[in-house]
Amino acid sequence: MSNQTSVTEFLLLGVTDVQELNPILFVIFFTIYFVNITGNGAILMIVILDPRLHSPMYFFLGNLACLDICFSTVTLPKMLQNLLSTNKAISFLGCITQLHFFHFLGSTEAMLLPVMAFDRFVAICRPLHYSVIMNHQLCIHMTVTIWTLGFFHALLHSVMTSRLSFCGPNHVHHFFCDIKPLLDLACGNTELNLWLLNTVTGTIALTPFFLTFLSYFYIIIYLLLKTRSCSMLHKALSTCASHFMVVFLFYAPVLFIYISPTSGSSLDQDRIIAIMYSVVTPALNPLIYTLRNKEVRSALNRKLRRWL
């Protein structure tokens, strides 16, 4: 990180400038984080321990639960600390590290969702070939690939951001270190960084979104051509309903914040949207899957009865 910066630390201004709200926000976000850790932790444990859930669908669901735990842990503990502390500083290295893992885990989750959609496409449209197509080796290869791509995508941004010069104010108008707020503080030319953000991150967000949409489009077309029974169509799509909700909750705010022009975005708006996809969505995912998925609910009930 051979930059010419004179800034050794940044000050994270947090979610709000109204200090009186901090204790209330601490309780709210701590509760959300607790729901996230316990809910996703339960899903991860059930997927690992229950042999009935050792299938591609639940293998990917376990990856999603792991990602959601780690994704929120990158930002929430520091945000909770800052809500109760007057010292809101984060070191330069800590800031770049947070930025790296945020984009690493976020982009990995973005690429995992179309893989899960492809799994549902094969299960519904090619049921007789499902076990052959979605074999264990392919699932491992796809998972390793998306985690690796996510890591190097984040590494690109963290290296490029760390090489910028920061010589002015060090107040980050956000509750974590993200690319946009840091670019606002940079002294040098940030055109390349902005281009990478719009092009590379835009591609990482848009391509999986369209692949996910394409998978579900083919599922609907296939079912409409295969059968004219509305009940069968409803039953098949109901198995994908939870995934639909996860995709919408994740991609909608991400596409808005990273595809929208930097100059036209409000700092308060960006913070609210970031809370949606980095704090709220990871906590909602286990609730969505457990409430709508009978197999996960049954597995949880079996484990609870055994322990109690």
Side-chain angles (χ1 to χ4, degrees):
M1 295 184 184
S2 57
N3 59 342
Q4 300 173 353
T5 183
S6 60
V7 173
T8 59
E9 65 179 19
F10 293 101
L11 297 178
L12 298 172
L13 298 186
V15 181
T16 179
D17 300 325
V18 183
Q19 299 301 314
E20 291 76 11
L21 292 176
N22 284 350
I24 300 172
L25 291 175
F26 176 86
V27 173
I28 293 172
F29 288 124
F30 179 82
T31 303
I32 294 173
Y33 188 51
F34 179 78
V35 170
N36 175 8
I37 297 298
T38 53
N40 283 300
I43 288 178
L44 190 59
M45 178 190 64
I46 290 299
V47 168
I48 293 172
L49 296 180
D50 197 320
R52 302 181 194 184
L53 300 184
H54 290 175
S55 65
M57 175 182 174
Y58 295 106
F59 172 73
F60 295 131
L61 179 58
N63 272 267
L64 180 65
C66 178
L67 280 168
D68 282 336
I69 292 172
C70 298
F71 191 43
S72 288
T73 302
V74 170
T75 57
L76 262 174
K78 182 63 178 175
M79 182 177 73
L80 292 172
Q81 177 191 337
N82 289 345
L83 286 171
L84 297 182
S85 173
T86 54
N87 180 19
K88 303 179 186 298
I90 182 172
S91 67
F92 183 85
L93 179 60
C95 187
I96 297 299
T97 302
Q98 188 182 55
L99 182 152
H100 172 80
F101 280 98
F102 181 82
H103 283 271
F104 165 38
L105 298 166
S107 58
T108 301
E109 181 163 339
M111 289 182 284
L112 177 64
L113 294 178
V115 171
M116 296 176 71
F118 176 72
D119 173 71
R120 292 301 83 207
F121 165 76
V122 177
I124 294 172
C125 301
R126 300 288 186 272
L128 299 179
H129 302 91
Y130 180 75
S131 58
V132 176
I133 297 173
M134 298 301 296
N135 58 73
H136 181 71
Q137 188 176 15
L138 177 65
C139 293
I140 294 296
H141 284 170
M142 287 195 295
T143 304
V144 171
T145 299
I146 61 177
W147 279 81
T148 304
L149 288 174
F151 177 83
F152 283 105
H153 162 252
L155 187 64
L156 172 67
H157 284 304
S158 57
V159 170
M160 292 301 295
T161 304
S162 69
R163 295 179 66 85
L164 291 172
S165 296
F166 297 94
C167 51
N170 64 343
H171 292 71
V172 180
H173 291 270
H174 217 309
F175 61 89
F176 69 96
C177 290
D178 201 5
I179 298 171
K180 275 187 176 182
L182 289 179
L183 293 183
D184 291 337
L185 302 179
C187 302
N189 191 335
T190 60
E191 287 184 6
L192 178 58
N193 298 75
L194 284 171
W195 181 85
L196 288 172
L197 180 65
N198 293 328
T199 305
V200 180
T201 305
T203 302
I204 290 289
L206 282 173
T207 303
F209 174 75
F210 282 118
L211 289 174
T212 305
F213 174 81
L214 196 63
S215 294
Y216 286 118
F217 176 77
Y218 274 116
I219 289 173
I220 294 170
I221 295 299
Y222 172 83
L223 291 173
L224 288 174
L225 294 176
K226 185 75 174 179
T227 177
R228 296 188 182 277
S229 170
C230 292
S231 60
M232 285 188 64
L233 179 64
H234 179 267
K235 182 180 179 180
L237 290 180
S238 67
T239 64
C240 305
S242 56
H243 193 187
F244 268 129
M245 295 175 69
V246 171
V247 167
F248 175 78
L249 289 170
F250 183 81
Y251 282 119
V254 168
L255 289 172
F256 184 88
I257 199 169
Y258 289 111
I259 304 302
S260 62
T262 307
S263 58
S265 59
S266 160
L267 292 173
D268 292 334
Q269 189 180 62
D270 283 357
R271 281 188 282 192
I272 293 170
I273 295 171
I275 289 171
M276 279 301 300
Y277 71 83
S278 66
V279 178
V280 178
T281 302
L284 287 178
N285 283 351
L287 297 177
I288 291 169
Y289 277 104
T290 53
L291 289 175
R292 295 192 59 87
N293 192 301
K294 292 181 180 178
E295 289 181 306
V296 174
R297 289 204 308 269
S298 299
L300 281 171
N301 288 332
R302 286 194 299 270
K303 289 296 178 184
L304 288 174
R305 283 198 300 268
R306 186 175 301 174
W307 291 336
L308 297 176

